Amino acid sequence: MVDWEFWPPAVFYLPVAWKIFTLAIRHAGLRLPFYTNPGTINGFQAGESKAFSLGRLHPHAPDFVAQTWLVEGTNAEEKIAHVERLQRDHTIDFPFILKPDCGNRGSGVKVIRNAEERAAYLSSIRAPTILQRFIPGPREAGIFYYRYPNEETGQLFAITEKIFPKVIGDGKRTLEELIWDDDRAFIIADKYCSRFAKDQDCVIKAGREWPLVNAGNHAQGCIFHDGWQLATPELSARMDEIAKGLPGFYFGRFDARYKCDEDLKAGRNFQILEVNGFASEATSIYDPKNSVIDAYRTLFKQWELVFEIGSQNRERNESAPTFSQLIERARRYREQKESHPQAD
């Protein structure tokens, strides 16, 4: 089906919602998914603190986790001053990353290249914010991992290879025209043009490459390919070792940047940018080669794993947040998201 990957979520997730409902009946527990990662604040879904998860993970695997700090301050001036201190104390040069501490789908992620951008970002956002070292990559992958609580060794479920789209100037067309004339970019041209509103009327010099997105997120315009060819015993063993650094973590996706495929396959020289929990997707489903049926097949298997792991943890008398706690966290996240700056 044409462009199913850009269907509205309310349409695309209807069959997934039905699958979750049937699994909840089978396992006698609609709240069961929240037992999946009991060692976390609320199960590693939207509303989870990135500073919390990465802060716990970094001491265990410092060579594989990008350094991240929670920005302190009650107003823009205090936040700017704290970021300046962090830059000075930890030798953080421009560019670096600022993004909401609680966020999903790439919302509010921005590459900060100078003091003016730093001030603008921190002056506009009202949500808790984190600073993260910029990892140039240039490659990025989403590595989906799971482990049953009653087993010692975890394994890989899926790998997404992320492609950052760009257009190339010809000295004749404006940036907006280049975007609309691109075979894929035109599908979400409004998002790209909004991101580059100040430059969309500029004629791009012949041969100049113009990246359309920096955040490795499908919702922001990144292209996802199935990266299962990157899966190796070495990478699986490394991810199992890293994941065990998060007590109570059994299921989720690690987004990582690296220089070359050989490094990732060897389980070396990569940096984890984010940890995503049970509500994250095996984003390899968005490979343009996949049909919507292929996507649902993978998502159904993913949710079967969620309920199986959650069931085992419930039997182990692990705890999970209540519905009232989840509703309150979701409400707070929605309020904070309103101030998220436009993502890169």
Side-chain angles (χ1 to χ4, degrees), residues 52-343:
F52 174 82
S53 56
L54 293 171
R56 297 182 74 193
L57 192 60
H58 187 269
H60 176 75
D63 294 336
F64 295 96
V65 181
Q67 285 186 295
T68 304
W69 296 267
L70 186 65
V71 177
E72 300 174 0
T74 58
N75 55 51
E77 290 74 19
E78 291 178 356
K79 292 177 182 179
I80 292 169
H82 186 231
V83 169
E84 289 175 340
R85 288 198 302 274
L86 289 173
Q87 288 187 257
R88 182 172 57 253
D89 294 346
H90 299 280
T91 318
I92 305 170
D93 296 324
F94 295 108
F96 57 81
I97 302 295
L98 288 177
K99 57 185 171 182
D101 184 40
C102 299
N104 67 337
R105 300 176 72 83
S107 177
V109 178
K110 195 165 188 64
V111 180
I112 305 300
R113 296 179 174 83
N114 53 56
E116 290 74 20
E117 291 183 356
R118 178 183 62 197
Y121 188 100
L122 295 172
S123 296
S124 63
I125 191 168
R126 298 190 304 274
T129 306
I130 59 174
L131 181 155
Q132 187 174 72
R133 286 194 186 275
F134 178 74
I135 308 300
R139 305 187 68 79
E140 184 171 330
I143 307 168
F144 216 114
Y145 163 93
Y146 73 97
R147 177 168 68 91
Y148 287 107
N150 59 3
E151 295 182 357
E152 287 298 318
T153 304
Q155 55 190 301
L156 302 180
F157 177 69
I159 299 181
T160 302
E161 186 178 12
K162 302 184 180 185
I163 310 298
F164 295 88
K166 57 189 176 184
V167 291
I168 301 176
D170 58 7
K172 300 176 182 178
R173 288 176 291 176
T174 65
L175 177 59
E176 182 180 18
E177 290 171 331
L178 289 170
I179 291 171
W180 279 103
D181 290 345
D182 187 86
D183 289 342
R184 180 180 172 87
F186 83 92
I187 300 173
I188 54 172
D190 289 342
K191 180 177 288 292
Y192 292 138
C193 289
S194 175
R195 180 174 296 143
F196 301 109
K198 294 187 299 182
D199 303 294
Q200 64 178 343
D201 295 327
C202 297
V203 174
I204 307 304
K205 182 180 177 180
R208 179 184 177 183
E209 296 183 349
W210 191 287
L212 296 178
V213 62
N214 284 305
N217 190 280
H218 185 264
Q220 302 302 330
C222 192
I223 299 172
F224 288 173
H225 288 172
D226 188 339
W228 191 247
Q229 77 279 359
L230 299 171
T232 62
E234 293 81 6
L235 178 59
S236 183
R238 179 68 72 188
M239 297 311 302
D240 190 43
E241 173 189 346
I242 292 172
K244 289 175 180 175
L246 283 173
F249 180 79
Y250 297 100
F251 184 95
R253 191 186 71 237
F254 296 86
D255 293 331
R257 285 200 168 183
Y258 57 99
K259 290 184 178 180
C260 63
D261 290 350
E262 289 70 25
D263 277 347
L264 189 66
K265 290 192 285 187
R268 68 189 183 209
N269 298 335
F270 62 85
Q271 292 271 289
I272 292 169
L273 308 179
E274 291 197 8
V275 185
N276 306 274
F278 76 83
S280 59
E281 295 173 321
T283 49
S284 55
I285 63 172
Y286 293 111
D287 190 317
K289 298 193 301 292
N290 287 337
S291 69
V292 69
I293 301 302
D294 294 329
Y296 286 135
R297 185 180 296 115
T298 298
L299 289 175
F300 289 175
K301 176 59 178 176
Q302 175 181 325
W303 281 99
E304 288 168 2
L305 287 171
V306 166
F307 275 85
E308 289 169 5
I309 292 171
S311 180
Q312 288 187 14
N313 278 328
R314 182 176 60 181
E315 292 172 2
R316 292 155 59 97
N317 294 317
E318 298 285 5
S319 61
T322 65
F323 280 122
S324 61
Q325 289 174 322
L326 294 169
I327 291 171
E328 171 57 23
R329 288 167 182 164
R331 181 198 63 77
R332 188 165 59 246
Y333 173 71
R334 285 196 300 271
E335 290 179 354
Q336 293 176 348
K337 188 176 179 180
E338 292 178 0
S339 72
H340 289 183
Q342 186 171 53

